[in-house]
Amino acid sequence: MTCDDDHAASADGDEQLLVLPDALRHELKEPMGPIETDAERLLEAVDGPLIAVGDVVTYHFLQAGRAPDVAVVDERTKRETVDEEIRETVTESTPLEATNPPAALSAEMVETLREALDREEPTTILVDGEEDLVALPAIAAAPEGASVVYGQPDEGMVHVTVTDEHRAEMRALLERFEGDTERFWDLLEQH
């Protein structure tokens, strides 16, 4: 892909690259890993990069003294605006922004996630829209042993320690989404 092609892809970055089919919604309600309610206890099990998806999850890690290597926030929790303290804390340093529609993954979101994963310094992505599905490509793209943590409403934080098996499961799940899966993988896997 040339720089010109890259720019063209970014110009329509809010397009719905992949859309969650209704038939898959029930499968995503099951947690993909153990649920923890204590951020400090969860952090004891983290050995490698930490990727946090969700404002409340990110807030708990910051309060526990550990900035996630990648945090994805949208200033909302359970479809409601987060408390001002949480919003201010998690958006204090947001060097990247992306637009992502509900129940979908946009090209811009995938490109921004890839950029954040490739950075050396902790990076927060502020999503205009919804970040709920970003845990899926994060698991698919994260290195072996990385921790992807996302919120399970009214239950706690789901901790996925990434393995080849998890990545294969995410690949199979994402392949069942509607849309341009070939372009999705091209964007997610470019280095």
Side-chain angles (χ1 to χ4, degrees):
M1 182 178 267
T2 66
C3 289
D4 292 334
D5 291 334
D6 222 358
H7 181 71
S10 296
D12 58 0
D14 62 347
E15 70 185 281
Q16 294 182 351
L17 188 58
L18 292 185
V19 178
L20 174 65
D22 288 341
L24 278 183
R25 287 180 190 268
H26 69 283
E27 290 184 43
L28 296 180
K29 294 208 183 311
E30 287 299 311
M32 293 182 260
I35 297 177
E36 179 59 70
T37 55
D38 184 312
E40 289 180 20
R41 195 162 45 232
L42 189 153
L43 285 168
E44 290 171 10
V46 172
D47 182 26
L50 174 61
I51 301 155
V53 179
D55 296 67
V56 176
V57 170
T58 301
Y59 177 76
H60 285 306
F61 288 139
L62 292 169
Q63 292 299 103
R66 171 70 154 88
D69 296 282
V70 176
V72 185
V73 300
D74 62 6
E75 300 182 329
R76 302 182 75 70
T77 184
K78 295 191 273 183
R79 311 249 187 270
E80 300 291 325
T81 303
V82 294
D83 294 343
E84 189 65 22
E85 181 188 346
I86 293 175
R87 190 189 67 73
E88 286 179 6
T89 302
V90 302
T91 60
E92 192 173 333
S93 79
T94 49
L96 297 177
E97 294 185 12
T99 300
N100 195 64
L105 291 165
S106 69
E108 183 180 44
M109 184 71 248
V110 175
E111 289 172 315
T112 306
L113 175 64
R114 177 76 263 160
E115 181 182 342
L117 289 168
D118 289 341
R119 287 184 169 199
E120 294 292 321
E121 70 278 357
T123 302
T124 300
I125 303 168
L126 177 59
V127 178
D128 177 11
E130 201 172 275
E131 63 17 19
D132 294 9
L133 293 176
V134 177
L136 306 178
I139 293 168
E144 183 82 15
S147 290
V148 176
V149 181
Y150 65 92
Q152 188 81 358
D154 302 318
E155 291 188 51
M157 298 173 279
V158 179
H159 181 196
V160 179
T161 303
V162 177
T163 62
D164 286 340
E165 186 180 327
H166 285 116
R167 284 194 292 263
E169 286 174 22
M170 286 308 105
R171 181 174 274 279
L173 184 65
L174 287 159
E175 286 290 331
R176 293 166 59 201
F177 275 54
E178 296 164 357
D180 189 346
T181 53
E182 187 176 326
R183 179 149 181 253
F184 168 81
W185 292 114
D186 286 348
L187 292 173
L188 189 64
E189 294 171 346
Q190 64 184 332
H191 287 279

